[in-house]
Amino acid sequence: MNLRSKKSNVLLCVTGGIAAYKAPHIVRGFVQLGWDVRVILTESAEAFVSPMVLATLSKNRVWVEKDFLSVEGGSQIPHISLAEWADVVIVAPCSADTASRLAIGGGGRLMDSAVLATKAPVVVFPAMNVNMLYHPATRENLDRLVALGYTVVDPDSGDLACGYEGQGRLPDREVILEEAKRALSVKDMDGLSVVVTAGPTREFMDPVRFISNPSSGKMGYALARTAWYRGADVELITGPVNLTPPHGVKVSPVISAQEMLDSAVSAMGGCDIMVKAAAVGDYRFSSVSEKKIKRKGLDVMEVSLINNPDIAATLGSVKRPDQTLVGFAAETDNLTLNATEKLKSKGLDMIVANDLTEEGSGFGSNTNRVIMLGVEGVLREMAGDKEIVADGIWDQVLELRGKS
Ligand code: PMT
C-alpha cells in the first residue's frame, strides 16, 4: 500500500528566501491532507516567517537553529529524531546557499544535518533570483542534488520579488503537495509510458449546440495522477472538463470523438499501456452548420446522426503484444455480460465495468464501484474513492503484464 494514502509525516525545511512567507500556506495544505507536519527554520528563514505562525498551524513545535546543539530535549538529538520521524522531507523554498550546503553534504546547521541523517525521500524546491538560479555554481549544485538522489523541482517563471522577471518562483502549493505524494509512492510503474483518456466528448450541431454526456473526467484524471505518482510517464487525452490539469502529466485537450481518435492513435505507437476511461460520444451530427441554426418556429426538429469511430476498437486492432489496452464499460444493465462483450469485440486486455445505476458509482461522483474483467473472467472488484480505485486498476494492470 502506498504511504500517500495514509497519514504521513512531513518534515518541511524552510530556508532564507522571500518565498519563505508562503510556508504557513504550505503547512496548512499538508494539515488539510491529514498529514503530521514538523518544520525546521534556518536562521535566515526566521527573518521572513514567524515560528509562532508555523507552530500554530502545524500544531507542533517549530525547530529553529538555536535548537541544533541544545540539551533542552535531554537525550533527544533534534536532527536525528526529526530525520527518523519523517516519511518525506520537503525543502521549500531552497535558497542558493542551502543548495550549496546540501550539495557538499554539509552538516553545519540543524536543517542540513537532518537532511543528511534521513533515509526518507527528499524533495527540493529551489526559489531565488533568476541570475542566481542560472549561475553555473547553482546549476552544478542542483545537478549534484539530483545525482545524490534528491528530487529537484524546477521553479516557475514570472515576476520575481526582487523585481526581475524570469524563472525562480516557488511553485504553487498544489505542486508541492503533489510532489510530496509522489515521493511517498512506490515507483512500480517507473519506465512505463502510459496514456489515459478522460472526460466526455462534444459533438457540435452548430457553433452553440452540442451533444455530450455527464462525464466529469474524475476517474480518468485519478488514473493519470496515480500513474504519475507511481513513476510512469503519463499523457492524458482529455475532453472538456472542469478539473485542474494534473501536475507532472502531459495534457492533450480534445473536443470531439474524431479529435480524441487522432490523439489516441498518434500516442498509441509509443506507449506501453493505454486506458480508455473517456465517455466517447457514439454519434455525431451528419452535418455541422457554420452559423447558429435558427429556431424557425418548428415544434419538432429532426436531426440525423452518424456513427463515430470506435476508438478502443481501432486501437485494439493495431495493438502490439507488448502493449496493454484497457477499456471501461458504463452500463445500466447486465453489467458483466455487456462488459465482457465489449472486451472481446474491441480487442481489449481488460475492461473496468461500472454500474451506472448504483449510488456512488460512474459519472460525476468522487467514488466508484468497479469490476475488472479479463478474457478469463472476473479479475478483481473494488469500491471507494476514485483515486483508490485507480490505484487498484494499476495494480491489476501490472499483474496482467507480469503474466504476459
Ligand atoms: O468521468 P467521470 O465522471 O469520473 O465518470 C467515469 C466514467 C463513468 C465516465 C468512466 O468510469 C467510464 O465508465 N468510462 C467509459 C464510459 C463509456 O463510454 O463506456 P462505453 O461502455 O460507452 O464504452 C466502452 C469503452 O469503449 C470505453 O472504454 C470507451 O472509452 C470506449 N469507446 C466508446 C465509444 C467510442 N466511440 N469509442 C471508444 O473508444
Side-chain angles (χ1 to χ4, degrees):
M1 119 110 57
N2 274 309
L3 257 180
R4 73 182 134 81
S5 53
K6 70 177 187 83
K7 179 176 164 154
S8 303
N9 295 338
V10 55
L11 177 61
L12 177 65
C13 301
V14 183
T15 78
I18 182 66
Y21 84 90
K22 297 179 180 170
H25 186 54
I26 299 168
V27 168
R28 268 183 80 79
F30 282 119
V31 169
Q32 281 161 4
L33 286 180
W35 292 14
D36 198 358
V37 193
R38 296 193 185 170
V39 181
I40 299 178
L41 287 181
T42 62
E43 199 175 345
S44 40
E46 277 189 75
F48 295 96
V49 60
S50 136
M52 168 77 98
V53 175
L54 296 165
T56 308
L57 293 175
S58 66
K59 299 190 175 60
N60 278 315
R61 115 170 237 187
V62 166
W63 299 83
V64 293
E65 195 51 32
K66 74 174 168 46
D67 299 317
F68 186 22
L69 301 171
S70 150
V71 287
E72 198 193 309
S75 61
Q76 280 247 312
I77 305 170
H79 63 278
I80 302 296
S81 53
L82 287 166
E84 281 175 352
W85 169 86
D87 294 317
V88 58
V89 177
I90 302 291
V91 185
C94 177
S95 63
D97 177 56
T98 294
S100 75
R101 290 169 189 260
L102 296 180
I104 57 163
R109 303 178 304 179
L110 172 60
M111 189 222 115
D112 311 328
S113 290
V115 172
L116 266 188
T118 194
K119 289 282 185 201
V122 177
V123 189
V124 176
F125 292 86
M128 62 196 75
N129 165 272
V130 60
N131 293 344
M132 292 170 78
L133 181 69
Y134 279 98
H135 192 287
T138 309
R139 302 313 314 163
E140 255 180 50
N141 289 332
L142 295 177
D143 288 346
R144 174 87 185 126
L145 296 187
V146 173
L148 289 171
Y150 303 159
T151 299
V152 176
V153 180
D154 284 340
D156 282 353
S157 296
D159 287 339
L160 303 178
C162 53
Y164 280 60
E165 168 116 17
Q167 199 180 4
R169 288 171 63 88
L170 186 67
D172 287 346
R173 176 176 76 176
E174 281 317 306
V175 171
I176 296 172
L177 302 186
E178 287 293 283
E179 289 284 352
K181 289 186 197 170
R182 183 171 195 262
L184 286 169
S185 299
V186 177
K187 301 296 180 300
D188 52 1
M189 294 181 73
D190 204 10
L192 287 175
S193 171
V194 165
V195 179
V196 177
T197 70
T201 57
R202 284 181 186 173
E203 306 301 335
F204 278 85
M205 179 168 94
D206 68 10
V208 296
R209 301 183 183 94
F210 57 83
I211 47 173
S212 189
N213 61 67
S215 170
S216 63
K218 287 178 187 170
M219 190 66 242
Y221 277 55
L223 281 158
R225 265 200 322 275
T226 47
W228 177 73
Y229 293 151
R230 293 168 74 153
D233 190 20
V234 185
E235 178 173 356
L236 175 65
I237 300 173
T238 175
V241 296
N242 284 322
L243 299 175
T244 310
H247 167 65
V249 166
K250 178 186 171 193
V251 179
S252 306
V254 296
I255 307 280
S256 65
Q258 184 60 48
E259 286 174 18
M260 190 170 275
L261 173 75
D262 295 343
S263 290
V265 166
S266 85
M268 184 70 182
C271 78
D272 301 298
I273 305 168
M274 165 87 66
V275 179
K276 300 240 28 322
V280 184
D282 286 321
Y283 294 94
R284 66 180 186 277
F285 292 97
S286 53
S287 68
V288 182
S289 169
E290 277 180 18
K291 295 201 173 128
K292 184 181 170 192
I293 298 169
K294 300 283 178 293
R295 197 156 175 243
K296 291 180 199 149
L298 294 177
D299 287 335
V300 176
M301 181 179 187
E302 286 185 0
V303 292
S304 81
L305 298 171
I306 53 170
N307 231 336
N308 260 336
D310 189 316
I311 305 170
T314 308
L315 300 176
S317 68
V318 296
K319 183 177 85 71
R320 298 188 308 265
D322 61 301
Q323 293 180 306
T324 309
L325 181 59
V326 178
F328 270 73
E331 304 294 341
T332 52
D333 54 281
N334 291 328
L335 184 63
T336 315
L337 202 71
N338 288 337
T340 305
E341 163 53 26
K342 283 177 183 168
L343 170 91
K344 290 183 180 156
S345 65
K346 293 174 195 257
L348 308 172
D349 298 294
M350 180 171 118
I351 195 153
V352 183
N354 32 213
D355 184 344
L356 298 185
T357 62
E358 248 191 70
E359 179 119 3
S361 175
F363 289 114
S365 57
N366 291 326
T367 55
N368 209 357
R369 174 179 290 279
V370 302
I371 303 177
M372 297 171 219
L373 298 152
V375 278
E376 285 157 18
V378 175
L379 299 168
R380 88 172 64 185
E381 299 188 28
M382 277 199 80
D385 190 89
K386 280 183 175 162
E387 194 162 295
I388 307 256
V389 171
D391 259 325
I393 292 170
W394 293 127
D395 289 343
Q396 187 55 58
V397 167
L398 294 186
E399 205 175 310
L400 268 187
R401 287 178 64 83
K403 276 191 199 150
S404 61

